[in-house]
Amino acid sequence: MANVVVVGAQWGDEGKGKIVDWLSERADVIARFQGGHNAGHTLVIDGKVYKLSLLPSGIVRGGKLSVIGNGVVLDPWHLSEEITKLRDQGVDITPENLMIAENTPLILPVHGELDRAREEQVSVAKIGTTGRGIGPAYEDKVGRRAIRVADLADEATLETRVDRLLLHHDTLRRGMGLEPVDRADLLAKLKEIAEIVLPYAAPVWKVLNEQRKSGKRILFEGAQGSLLDIDFGTYPFVTSSNVIAGQAATGTGIGPGSIDYVLGIVKAYTTRVGEGPFPVELDDADGQRLGERGHEFGTVTGRKRRCGWFDAVLVRQTCATSGVNGIAFTKLDVLDGFEELKICVGYELDGERIDYLPTAADHQARVKPIYETLPGWSESTEGARSWADLPANAIKYVRRVEELIDCPVALLSTSPERDDTILVHDPFAD
């Protein structure tokens, strides 16, 4: 049975939540493999809206196992709040349908405080983080001073881990004019939250490999988008983890050979939240129209998203770095009513044409988009569930995108409703 990885192929906000939910009906296990609670997913099921930022999207569907892998950084207090909120909406959450990897690092209050303090420094350029402590938590992970889920089970180990962590953080805080961390208060909070988190702790790597061997279908769910990848994104305006498909293996403990299909989620235009280069950004009426029609505000932050035409150069690049087999094309209906549409097919850099986004920050800032113009359509595509429901020019637009990114469309989404989806190729069929 096929195991599928879902990744955002732009700067995030591509509509992964709906697609993952749509695919989760075909999956037995849904696993988050990176990120934290800084990336929101909005699901609309039978008219009911669920907003998730940490839990896997499959948690709202009965009969599925949801997994938070070791590649995620976990804020245990946010986890508790999100579980409570979903339970209040009628979602059943127990250790039988939710597991958290024992080696998952925790996000602590000190991480959020450091994150926000850094962003407030006027002497350096802002990265545009959400201030939720994601980056500092990943720093502590690679610095070998993180507190992990398993550490909550042993008081002596926990105290040792906290002391090592504070040795580093109190030094940083003094340099930034912040008070030292209250050790006793932090330990008390951790011991209290341990009772909520530990029942979900499990050797996720072992569980996933057993599920795979027994023929279960696993859906691997990423957060953010590939252009925010710590290695292949628009550095330093990126997230603090690897976002591309290869992280699905290391972020859950399953071998890369167990991944059968990579589905890239791609919006029919381009958006970005926060700072950083954005070659196709529109500051005109078209950009405003895209933002208004697409309701482009962050699920978690509420920040207005920057909008622009579809950038085929970037999507072709992310399809290559993630080994994307097919794309889920979302929000096509937002383009309804435009007389003409533009697609970025290349860049101009210092008078020369290039077909990729360069790595150097000064080059990224100077590239200018080269556009191809296509005719728009006046008919509505909202709610379309077959190719026959689409205007001819909408089909031409989709086909041109496929050509330019060198990747076929597997799914086409025409509204936030999960059933308003045109299936071209079922990723689980491979």
Side-chain angles (χ1 to χ4, degrees):
M1 308 293 272
N3 297 319
V4 177
V5 177
V6 175
V7 293
Q10 292 158 306
W11 274 293
D13 308 309
E14 302 96 348
K16 291 184 293 296
K18 170 193 167 173
I19 299 301
V20 170
D21 173 64
W22 192 88
L23 288 169
S24 68
E25 188 174 25
R26 295 159 172 75
D28 302 296
V29 183
I30 299 90
R32 271 284 306 272
F33 62 83
Q34 55 80 217
H37 63 302
N38 54 339
H41 291 166
T42 300
L43 307 179
V44 182
I45 304 173
D46 297 329
K48 197 168 186 178
V49 178
Y50 301 92
K51 291 185 180 293
L52 310 177
S53 53
L54 179 59
L55 292 169
S57 298
I59 198 69
V60 299
R61 305 195 62 84
K64 313 291 180 181
L65 173 61
S66 289
V67 168
I68 295 176
N70 57 277
V72 174
V73 282
L74 179 82
D75 182 324
W77 296 276
H78 179 88
L79 173 72
S80 177
E81 291 173 4
E82 198 166 313
I83 288 174
T84 299
K85 183 178 179 180
L86 288 177
R87 281 177 175 163
D88 289 343
Q89 290 186 275
V91 179
D92 184 41
I93 302 176
T94 71
E96 297 301 313
N97 67 349
L98 175 65
M99 290 184 181
I100 302 171
E102 296 169 315
N103 52 340
T104 300
L106 301 181
I107 300 174
L108 309 178
V110 64
H111 294 130
E113 292 168 9
L114 178 60
D115 207 356
R116 293 185 291 274
R118 284 173 172 169
E119 282 291 284
E120 292 168 3
Q121 300 294 306
V122 296
S123 59
V124 295
K126 292 182 181 296
I127 298 298
T129 76
T130 60
R132 284 166 166 74
I134 311 297
Y138 274 118
E139 290 176 36
D140 283 344
K141 175 182 177 177
V142 298
R144 293 164 293 183
R145 54 182 171 266
I147 295 171
R148 306 197 295 180
V149 169
D151 298 331
L152 297 174
D154 181 73
E155 187 171 329
T157 299
L158 182 60
E159 292 194 9
T160 300
R161 295 281 193 269
V162 166
D163 288 340
R164 180 176 176 81
L165 180 89
L166 297 189
L167 181 66
H168 173 79
H169 277 272
D170 281 342
T171 302
L172 282 179
R173 292 168 72 91
R174 281 195 298 272
M176 301 180 77
L178 301 175
E179 293 293 321
V181 176
D182 186 328
R183 178 182 183 274
D185 180 64
L186 176 58
L187 280 168
K189 288 178 178 176
L190 286 169
K191 290 172 184 177
E192 182 181 9
I193 200 68
E195 297 178 6
I196 295 174
V197 176
L198 285 174
Y200 300 100
V204 158
W205 68 269
K206 184 174 184 292
V207 172
L208 289 181
N209 278 280
E210 289 171 350
Q211 293 279 321
R212 180 187 63 81
K213 289 178 181 178
S214 67
K216 301 295 185 182
R217 292 175 168 178
I218 305 173
L219 182 63
F220 297 91
E221 175 186 2
Q224 291 97 22
S226 299
L227 292 168
L228 294 174
D229 185 272
I230 188 68
D231 287 308
F232 293 99
T234 48
Y235 191 90
F237 304 100
V238 293
T239 193
S240 301
S241 60
N242 285 113
V243 181
I244 60 175
Q247 177 64 17
T250 54
T252 60
I254 199 164
S258 300
I259 296 170
D260 303 297
Y261 192 97
V262 178
L263 182 70
I265 315 298
V266 178
K267 194 179 290 186
Y269 49 101
T270 311
T271 61
R272 175 166 201 170
V273 172
E275 309 296 326
F278 187 6
V280 298
E281 184 171 11
L282 296 173
D283 294 318
D284 58 10
D286 287 334
Q288 184 175 350
R289 184 177 178 184
L290 288 170
E292 291 173 353
R293 286 182 56 87
H295 307 290
E296 296 298 348
F297 295 91
T299 301
V300 171
T301 64
R303 290 184 293 180
K304 183 179 180 181
R305 297 174 186 140
R306 301 152 66 189
C307 298
W309 296 118
F310 186 80
D311 193 331
V313 180
L314 290 180
V315 175
R316 182 172 62 245
Q317 190 165 324
T318 57
C319 284
T321 55
S322 272
V324 172
N325 300 105
I327 67 167
F329 204 46
T330 68
K331 288 200 167 185
L332 182 67
D333 55 300
V334 174
L335 301 182
D336 293 352
F338 280 90
E339 289 188 10
E340 62 179 29
L341 303 166
K342 293 183 179 180
I343 296 178
C344 177
V345 296
Y347 299 135
E348 181 185 312
L349 177 61
D350 300 335
E352 293 186 13
R353 179 167 177 155
I354 57 175
D355 62 356
Y356 66 99
L357 185 68
T359 300
D362 62 318
H363 289 177
Q364 291 181 354
R366 294 206 309 273
V367 295
K368 298 178 181 178
I370 299 170
Y371 287 116
E372 178 179 300
T373 302
L374 283 76
W377 55 89
S378 58
E379 306 96 320
S380 174
T381 63
E382 185 175 359
R385 299 185 181 183
S386 73
W387 286 108
D389 296 332
L390 296 177
N393 283 346
I395 295 175
K396 289 178 182 177
Y397 182 82
V398 175
R399 293 307 187 198
R400 184 58 178 147
V401 165
E402 289 180 313
E403 293 173 357
L404 291 169
I405 67 174
D406 194 27
C407 192
V409 169
L411 301 168
L412 191 64
S413 171
T414 56
S415 93
E417 290 290 341
R418 68 182 301 276
D419 291 328
D420 290 342
T421 305
I422 300 171
L423 176 63
V424 182
H425 175 77
D426 186 350
F428 281 118
D430 285 1

